[in-house]
Amino acid sequence: EAQVTQNPRYLITVTGKKLTVTCSQNMNHEYMSWYRQDPGLGLRQIYYSMNVEVTDKGDVPEGYKVSRKEKRNFPLILESPSPNQTSLYFCASSLDRRSNQPQHFGDGTRLSIL
Amino acid sequence: AQKITQTQPGMFVQEKEAVTLDCTYDTSDQSYGLFWYKQPSSGEMIFLIYQGSYDEQNATEGRYSLNFQKARKSANLVISASQLGDSAMYFCAMRGIGSNDYKLSFGAGTTVTVRA
């Protein structure tokens, strides 16, 4: 089954404790992206990747890191999480960067930073 | 820069009736794609429908249709014959081909509640 898999689905942690949210897709997609969803703001892009070893900042990259060492994986790293990073996070992928390609989303990761 | 505006934070609709969700956008890209996603209370994002900026026909997918008015920069979603399972948040999004950025820009969303 074609899917985007995120882990964990839920995480409660404390300020400053490094964490990684994993994302994996099995569709051989080139384009992958991370979003955060906050009430009233919709989804905002954090980072995106057009292919292996090619990543770039989105609209809200501060406090986050990503890597794309393999085509299927695109982990999101919070080196020193803070309470303002409490949010619902989505990983998404699409076949490539063309505008007619829909992005397929993972089920989301709800992070609470205390 | 791209901007998506959804002016309806929440809507109620009677079961079996049609509902229109508004979406306007602003972009300097000549070529772009418009998408609608559904987010039920369980949280996942479900792709519903796509409209390309050069498509002459309005897109349709089952009970979903997109009323695309390019000159007015609007891409309204119409859900016909509403069902209780349509209760969800709906997001309008666009993806352009400008500079090196191929991101998907989202509106703030509209919550639809279908009443029996």
Side-chain angles (χ1 to χ4, degrees), chain B residues 35-55:
Chain B
F35 303 82
W36 278 90
Y37 285 85
K38 173 184 178 181
Q39 186 178 41
S41 57
S42 50
E44 70 269 28
M45 294 288 287
I46 302 166
F47 165 68
L48 295 178
I49 194 167
Y50 161 82
Q51 177 84 43
S53 58
Y54 287 108
D55 293 342

Side-chain angles (χ1 to χ4, degrees), chain A residues 37 45 50 59 100 103, chain B residues 37 39 50 100 102-103:
Chain A
Q37 182 181 5
Q45 190 178 54
M50 298 221 203
D59 293 325
N100 65 345
Q103 292 196 11
Chain B
Y37 285 85
Q39 186 178 41
Y50 161 82
N100 295 316
Y102 298 87
K103 71 177 182 184

Side-chain angles (χ1 to χ4, degrees), chain A residues 9-10 31 35 37 40-45 48 50 56-59 88 90 94 96-108, chain B residues 31-35 37 39 41-47 50-53 89 91 95-97 100-109:
Chain A
R9 292 291 314 279
Y10 305 91
Y31 188 97
Y35 297 87
Q37 182 181 5
L41 298 176
L43 279 76
R44 294 177 293 167
Q45 190 178 54
Y48 64 96
M50 298 221 203
D56 210 343
K57 297 177 181 178
D59 293 325
L88 177 60
F90 286 99
S94 65
D96 53 38
R97 60 189 182 185
R98 286 177 292 171
S99 64
N100 65 345
Q101 294 296 318
Q103 292 196 11
H104 301 268
F105 284 78
D107 287 340
Chain B
S31 178
Y32 50 88
L34 293 154
F35 303 82
Y37 285 85
Q39 186 178 41
S41 57
S42 50
E44 70 269 28
M45 294 288 287
I46 302 166
F47 165 68
Y50 161 82
Q51 177 84 43
S53 58
M89 180 165 275
F91 290 97
R95 192 179 197 186
I97 304 180
N100 295 316
D101 186 347
Y102 298 87
K103 71 177 182 184
L104 201 58
S105 297
F106 284 83

Side-chain angles (χ1 to χ4, degrees), chain B residues 52-93:
Chain B
S53 58
Y54 287 108
D55 293 342
E56 294 185 355
Q57 303 264 16
N58 284 342
T60 61
E61 286 287 347
R63 294 187 297 110
Y64 304 108
S65 59
L66 206 153
N67 183 2
F68 180 49
Q69 298 185 47
K70 191 172 181 178
R72 298 181 61 183
K73 293 189 175 179
S74 76
N76 298 340
L77 177 71
V78 180
I79 306 174
S80 62
S82 296
Q83 302 171 356
L84 296 177
D86 294 334
S87 293
M89 180 165 275
Y90 291 81
F91 290 97
C92 179

